[in-house]
Amino acid sequence: MKIIILLGAPGAGKGTAAEGIKAATPYMHVSTGDMLRTAVKAGTPIGREAEGYMKRGELVPDGVMVRLVEEKFDGGPADKAYMLDGFPRTVEQAEMLDASLARRNSRLAHVFYLEAPRDLLVARLAGRRICRACGANYHIVNIPPKKQDVCDTCGGELYQRADDKEATINTRLEVFANQTKALIDYYTRQGVLARIDAAAPRERIIGQIVDKLRMAAGQ
Ligand code: AMP
């Protein structure tokens, strides 16, 4: 199993980068936020447990998250390549991920930290729209669809996530600063962190990550 991580505050562009990386590499996109939203919609036990935290913009407890990710790893073939988006978000989750990888004789290859200033994060979150059908990401100013509220790729309806409203955005950015930022030190110490300027154009961000992955794979 091969793992890379996309780390960054909400709005840094992890999901958008993941779409481009997925198209150019064997890495499968695993977004814990997407998995949780699906679980909430389906009313599964994990979904019922997670719903309140998500609505408030708080973190879902580590135990629930680790269960969710372990199930994903267990369900796929052993040689699979995963790109984690939104996980880990706490040092506890990162330690549990390390232990889980060690049990599978795997190691973390790269962590890409998408860095962006706060005002850019807020502007991206507030303008973000998502396709209900295929999950594609848009932005009302930066990546507008050809037709308003309609997905270019599949024709699905675009919507705004409930937690992309202003009050919840502030909580989520605070949670990132208080809990997730510690991971930057954690992965710097492991020597796997690469910093990416998330204010750069989408193509440059994706290009930098894809080049690094290809170089590491000897391509
Ligand atoms: P995201 O789509 O990554 O912004 O995640 C949306 C929400 O899902 C977050 O605000 C959290 O409530 C929850 N969530 C997603 N991933 C995690 C995680 N690794 N740990 C805790 N909560 C998470």
Side-chain angles (χ1 to χ4, degrees):
M1 195 165 74
K2 276 202 277 189
I3 301 271
I4 60 169
I5 292 174
L6 299 180
L7 182 64
K14 301 186 295 295
T16 305
E19 284 174 23
I21 298 164
K22 188 174 74 178
T25 70
Y27 286 90
M28 195 181 125
H29 182 199
V30 176
S31 154
T32 46
D34 285 349
M35 288 164 72
L36 288 171
R37 281 183 286 278
T38 304
V40 169
K41 219 159 126 191
T44 66
I46 285 187
R48 286 202 297 274
E49 220 170 315
E51 192 170 11
Y53 296 100
M54 295 175 75
K55 269 202 181 127
R56 294 188 296 274
E58 295 167 6
L59 293 187
V60 174
D62 291 334
V64 177
M65 294 314 300
V66 170
R67 238 161 68 211
L68 192 76
V69 173
E70 286 284 354
E71 271 172 26
K72 185 85 188 175
F73 291 165
D74 287 341
D79 62 350
K80 198 119 204 179
Y82 294 103
M83 162 169 50
L84 303 183
D85 157 8
F87 184 92
R89 262 175 155 101
T90 63
V91 170
E92 286 72 20
Q93 290 179 14
E95 286 170 348
M96 286 189 254
L97 176 64
D98 282 345
S100 166
L101 293 178
R103 278 199 301 279
R104 295 173 162 86
N105 293 320
S106 300
R107 260 188 71 238
L108 192 58
H110 302 282
V111 177
F112 297 100
Y113 172 39
L114 275 63
E115 251 179 316
R118 187 192 158 90
D119 48 350
L120 183 71
L121 299 171
V122 173
R124 283 192 179 159
L125 289 170
R128 175 159 70 179
R129 298 292 182 275
I130 295 158
C131 174
R132 251 187 230 291
C134 74
N137 274 286
Y138 293 86
H139 186 280
I140 50 172
V141 180
N142 306 335
I143 322 173
K146 291 197 182 82
K147 196 170 156 211
Q148 200 183 339
D149 298 327
V150 178
C151 178
D152 293 346
T153 327
C154 78
E157 180 205 1
L158 304 188
Y159 78 106
Q160 181 177 38
R161 274 171 49 175
D163 60 354
D164 280 346
K165 309 271 161 71
E166 202 175 325
T168 324
I169 286 177
N170 290 334
T171 309
R172 289 162 65 211
L173 292 177
E174 244 171 69
V175 165
F176 178 81
N178 294 338
Q179 288 169 271
T180 310
K181 253 197 158 155
L183 291 178
I184 294 155
D185 287 341
Y186 183 89
Y187 288 126
T188 301
R189 280 200 300 275
Q190 286 195 7
V192 290
L193 192 90
R195 288 173 184 266
I196 305 281
D197 175 11
R202 175 179 178 270
E203 284 67 29
R204 195 187 311 159
I205 295 171
I206 294 166
Q208 272 179 311
I209 297 177
V210 170
D211 284 352
K212 185 145 184 152
L213 292 174
R214 287 195 176 142
M215 242 159 62
Q219 288 167 349

